[in-house]
């Protein structure tokens, strides 16, 4: 992974066809996705259960670029090595998921992954102020984690604060929740560069008809990049 602040679209496979994950990952990449976002949920930290390291390992050969694994689980530390071995490029843990987030971020980097830290909507930007030198990505949740398709919660002020805090450090700001051509410009303008989109990417398409994925990705990217035009 080379660092840059260009807009990156990261489709969430939470909105894909669960019976066809490998082909879905390949299809969205072929249609212009920059990263593939994998939402891991444990039914404990969040009220939903999705998938674990075995699923990540199964889809890894179908992903040419970045596999961005978002751990909505607690505890995190016992599972870091398994997700790293499954091929995660980025592993993101929630600051709210345990008492020792420094240890978690150190362990993620020690396992050979980029370290991400996520903030729930009710958690202030200042919660990561002392973590930035251990962090490669800050994920700002713009929905309450647990389910796809929720209504966007505007976190413009938080993203702007984070952007100021990060300064010239090589740290991505990722937005997860409710991203579409209407909300993407708000977050891009505030300083985000990685936009996670689930239903907004996968709607209208399928593995047998992937062209809508490309149209959806281009629409989100154009809306976000239009901020800088």
């Amino acid at each position: 992974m080379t660092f840059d602040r260009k807009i990156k679209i990261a489709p969430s496979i939470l909105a894909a066809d669960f019976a066809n994950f490998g082909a879905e990952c390949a299809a969205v990449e072929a249609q212009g996705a920059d990263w593939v976002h994998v939402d891991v949920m444990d039914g404990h930290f969040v009220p939903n259960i999705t998938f674990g390291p075995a699923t990540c390992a199964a889809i890894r050969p179908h992903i040419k670029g970045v596999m961005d694994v978002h751990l909505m689980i607690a505890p995190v530390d016992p599972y870091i090595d398994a997700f790293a071995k499954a091929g995660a490029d980025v592993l993101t843990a929630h600051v709210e998921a345990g008492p020792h987030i420094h240890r978690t971020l150190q362990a993620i980097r020690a396992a050979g992954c980029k370290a991400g830290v996520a903030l729930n909507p009710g958690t202030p930007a200042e919660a990561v102020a002392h973590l930035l030198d251990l962090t490669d990505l800050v994920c700002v949740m713009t929905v309450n984690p647990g389910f796809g398709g929720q209504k966007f919660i505007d976190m413009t002020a938080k993203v702007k604060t984070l952007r100021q805090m990060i300064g010239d450090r090589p740290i991505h700001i990722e937005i997860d929740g409710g991203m579409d051509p209407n909300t993407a410009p708000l977050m891009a303008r505030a300083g985000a560069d990685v936009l996670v989109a689930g239903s907004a990417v996968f709607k209208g398409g399928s593995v047998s008809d992937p062209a809508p994925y490309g149209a959806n990705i281009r629409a989100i990217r154009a809306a976000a990049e239009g901020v800088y035009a």
Side-chain angles (χ1 to χ4, degrees):
M1 284 177 61
T2 56
F3 181 83
D4 63 63
R5 295 199 188 279
K6 292 187 294 188
I7 294 294
K8 286 162 282 293
I9 309 299
S12 167
I13 63 168
L14 190 63
D17 177 359
F18 275 37
N20 216 2
F21 272 150
E24 288 277 51
C25 291
V28 290
E29 278 197 325
Q31 290 294 324
D34 300 288
W35 294 9
V36 174
H37 188 83
V38 184
D39 286 307
V40 175
M41 307 182 190
D42 63 357
H44 171 69
F45 180 66
V46 293
N48 194 9
I49 298 173
T50 55
F51 21 75
T55 302
C56 291
I59 64 174
R60 178 71 258 192
H62 301 273
I63 299 171
K64 295 177 182 176
V66 172
M67 185 162 79
D68 176 31
V69 179
H70 180 187
L71 300 177
M72 287 170 269
I73 65 175
V76 176
D77 295 10
Y79 303 99
I80 289 169
D81 284 344
F83 281 103
K85 288 174 183 173
D89 295 296
V90 183
L91 269 181
T92 296
H94 273 256
V95 73
E96 307 89 358
H100 306 296
I101 188 66
H102 277 85
R103 179 185 296 160
T104 300
L105 295 172
Q106 288 168 339
I108 290 171
R109 283 188 166 179
C113 299
K114 297 291 187 182
V117 61
L119 298 169
N120 282 336
T123 302
E126 290 73 20
V128 299
H130 300 290
L131 303 174
L132 294 177
D133 290 333
L134 285 170
T135 301
D136 301 292
L137 176 147
V138 180
C139 175
V140 177
M141 296 301 299
T142 45
V143 297
N144 286 299
F147 294 95
Q150 297 182 67
K151 186 178 178 183
F152 174 76
I153 302 171
D154 191 352
M155 290 286 136
T156 297
K158 185 189 294 189
V159 176
K160 286 181 176 178
T161 299
L162 283 167
R163 189 70 199 83
Q164 289 181 326
M165 288 166 56
I166 287 168
D168 60 0
R169 294 179 178 93
I171 299 173
H172 298 290
I173 299 179
E174 179 176 74
I175 308 298
D176 189 353
M179 283 291 93
D180 61 28
N182 295 315
T183 54
L186 298 173
M187 297 296 94
R189 189 176 295 113
D193 63 288
V194 182
L195 306 178
V196 176
S199 50
V201 166
F202 286 98
K203 67 182 180 184
S206 66
V207 167
S208 58
D209 179 25
Y213 297 167
N216 294 337
I217 289 168
R218 288 190 295 274
I220 297 167
R221 191 190 308 280
E225 289 180 344
V227 169
Y228 304 111

